[in-house]
Amino acid sequence: MKVPMLDFNAQYEPIMDDIKAEMEKVFTSHAYKLGPQVKEFEEDMQKYCDVKHAIGCASGTDAIILALIALDISDGDEVITTPFTFFATAGTIHRVGAKPVFVDVKPYTYNIDPDKIEAAITPKTKAIVVVHLFGQPAEMDKIMEIARKHNLKVIEDNAQGIGAKFEGKTAGTIGDIGTLSFFPSKNLGAMGDAGMCLTNSDELADKLFMLRVHGENPQYYHKWVGLNSRLDTIQAAALLIKLRSLTGWSEARRKNAEYYYKNLKDISHIKLPVIHEKAETIFNQFTLIAENRDELLNYLRSKDIGCAVYYPLPLHLQECFSYLNHKKGDFPITEELTEKVISIPVFSEITKEQQDYVIGNIKEFYTQR
Ligand SMILES: *Cc1c(COP(=O)(O)O)cnc(C)c1O
């Protein structure tokens, strides 16, 4: 049996005709630049996320850069974030001229530890970029309280957590600006690159709509220096069709995760991800902590089971951030996680037989030792 990390054939098969029909409209109208599908998708996303404004852009990375620019974060500012995330979270902070300041995560939710944030705040701290890793929202109640107390802005990098909730509120709509990625393998994936900013602030929304077109309004008059980062109409056409399936897809991922919880819980060599009591995750990944991780990874791959390590090197130890002068041991929980985590297939269309095959092989691996 073969179990991939994601099965695009299974995902697209039921909706491909609808996507093609919607794209066909773009090929007829030639409205390639901010065509009607962009507006329609933005409006659908406002409803889906229960937020006042949704501003499409070219990628999840650009969405974070646009958010940072909109909040006036630049040279000399410090921005607190986690070292256990995809590179873009910290790369964007550097790119706008600010300094990423890392705070370690909690061992089982993998999200930033709110109790360690205050110690990292200095007079230069302007914002916190929170990540809702693997689809689970970070502890937004505590984080917002700290941000209010110290007058900090909050950006939620929600690239992995579309539709997740914390205390019933949709992830990405709790801080000042939330960002989304529609990278093909995200829970809502485009057929290429796309991203989005979410905000409840009219003022920030106005600014973000301008910033994605070089800060211009009206045309050729520039109030700010922005980016060329429109959401492509063709991508919006695919996304607005795919969005209709997202609730069902997330439901299926939760059900698949439940099956893993039920059937993997007795293996003493692994620890399953812990979901915070106030959080509702959408399982962008199902990530466990495993003894002999690298051997397990190789074993599962030899059995044709897709699995991956997110992420093998913490951000504070990346070569490009050597100027921050971090060393091994600075963020011990993150460092331990990078050595022990493994993500196994949890995609919506995975079958029971495929899950049983994954479970059976994990058990087999540990009984052999
Ligand atoms: C995918 C991802 C991004 C970047 O999104 P792109 O659309 O690939 O630019 C940013 N942050 C996190 C946490 C991600 O997982």
Side-chain angles (χ1 to χ4, degrees):
M1 193 181 304
K2 206 179 161 90
V3 191
M5 266 309 255
L6 260 186
D7 185 345
F8 279 134
N9 277 325
Q11 180 187 119
Y12 277 104
E13 201 273 324
I15 53 173
M16 195 53 115
D17 286 344
D18 290 345
I19 292 174
K20 283 181 179 165
E22 196 62 43
M23 282 190 176
E24 196 69 39
K25 292 186 203 164
V26 185
F27 303 144
T28 309
S29 69
H30 301 293
Y32 303 117
K33 191 202 87 181
L34 296 177
Q37 283 83 0
V38 174
K39 185 114 196 74
E40 190 178 341
F41 177 60
E42 287 171 342
E43 286 170 2
D44 290 352
M45 283 298 294
Q46 282 165 28
K47 290 190 203 104
Y48 191 84
C49 294
D50 192 21
V51 68
K52 230 167 145 189
H53 305 282
I55 302 97
C57 65
S59 72
T61 302
D62 277 8
I64 307 171
I65 293 180
L66 289 166
L68 289 162
I69 299 172
L71 294 169
D72 294 320
I73 288 153
S74 66
D75 292 349
D77 295 333
E78 292 181 3
V79 178
I80 290 171
T81 194
T82 154
F84 191 54
T85 174
F86 177 61
F87 177 74
T89 313
T92 50
I93 295 169
H94 170 102
R95 200 28 70 220
V96 299
K99 178 181 164 187
V101 174
F102 297 113
V103 168
D104 213 352
V105 295
K106 283 190 155 177
Y108 302 117
T109 64
Y110 317 136
N111 277 325
I112 194 166
D113 186 342
D115 295 335
K116 293 182 179 158
I117 290 177
E118 281 195 297
I121 295 174
T122 76
K124 290 180 176 171
T125 310
K126 266 279 203 63
I128 308 172
V129 178
V130 178
V131 179
H132 304 317
L133 202 71
F134 305 144
Q136 169 169 211
E139 292 172 58
M140 290 308 290
D141 49 352
K142 291 186 183 168
I143 292 163
M144 293 309 292
E145 198 183 306
I146 294 164
R148 269 191 290 272
K149 185 170 151 199
H150 296 273
N151 198 22
L152 305 177
K153 302 294 183 191
V154 175
I155 295 172
E156 297 173 74
D157 176 355
N158 194 32
Q160 302 184 5
I162 187 169
K165 294 200 163 80
F166 192 85
E167 292 181 314
K169 283 178 270 189
T170 307
T173 72
I174 304 165
D176 294 278
I177 301 174
T179 64
L180 296 169
S181 164
F182 305 114
F183 180 76
S185 65
K186 298 285 156 79
N187 282 25
L188 180 62
M191 296 159 105
D193 282 302
M196 181 168 271
C197 290
L198 307 173
T199 184
N200 281 308
S201 155
D202 297 341
E203 196 187 326
L204 287 173
D206 284 349
K207 196 167 174 183
L208 287 164
F209 276 118
M210 282 192 242
L211 285 173
R212 76 173 174 188
V213 285
H214 288 302
E216 79 174 9
N217 187 31
Q219 200 176 20
Y220 305 129
Y221 291 80
H222 300 265
K223 185 162 177 178
W224 292 288
V225 180
L227 305 177
N228 173 16
S229 186
R230 284 175 288 261
L231 170 57
D232 193 277
T233 312
I234 293 170
Q235 296 306 333
L239 286 165
L240 80 90
I241 299 297
K242 291 187 75 179
L243 177 58
R244 296 172 194 161
S245 303
L246 185 59
T247 302
W249 287 338
S250 298
E251 205 43 61
R253 280 173 182 267
R254 276 194 287 271
K255 203 182 85 243
N256 299 338
E258 232 167 80
Y259 195 69
Y260 280 140
Y261 277 110
K262 203 173 97 201
N263 291 285
L264 292 174
K265 67 174 185 325
D266 295 328
I267 305 176
S268 62
H269 305 80
I270 60 176
K271 290 201 177 69
L272 302 175
V274 170
I275 307 307
H276 189 277
E277 57 187 9
K278 295 178 182 170
E280 190 185 303
T281 172
I282 45 96
F283 288 105
N284 176 243
Q285 301 295 344
F286 192 86
T287 303
L288 33 108
I289 299 171
E291 284 175 22
N292 305 103
R293 193 269 316 270
D294 293 333
E295 289 95 326
L296 175 66
L297 186 87
N298 289 334
Y299 182 82
L300 294 178
R301 284 184 175 162
S302 77
K303 301 286 176 183
D304 268 335
I305 295 169
C307 44
V309 173
Y310 306 116
Y311 297 90
L313 185 64
L315 294 191
H316 66 283
L317 300 178
Q318 296 287 345
E319 191 178 344
C320 64
F321 290 137
S322 60
Y323 70 92
L324 295 171
N325 290 317
H326 283 299
K327 57 187 186 315
K328 224 171 157 97
D330 283 357
F331 303 104
I333 295 169
T334 291
E335 289 165 26
E336 190 179 341
L337 287 172
T338 58
E339 287 162 14
K340 292 188 174 168
V341 287
I342 179 171
S343 300
I344 58 174
V346 72
F347 61 94
S348 311
E349 301 82 6
I350 195 171
T351 63
K352 273 262 149 31
E353 291 69 33
Q354 286 177 312
Q355 280 197 284
D356 286 335
Y357 182 69
V358 175
I359 293 159
N361 275 294
I362 294 174
K363 288 186 174 160
E364 182 64 27
F365 172 77
Y366 285 113
T367 48
Q368 278 177 12
R369 2 201 83 235

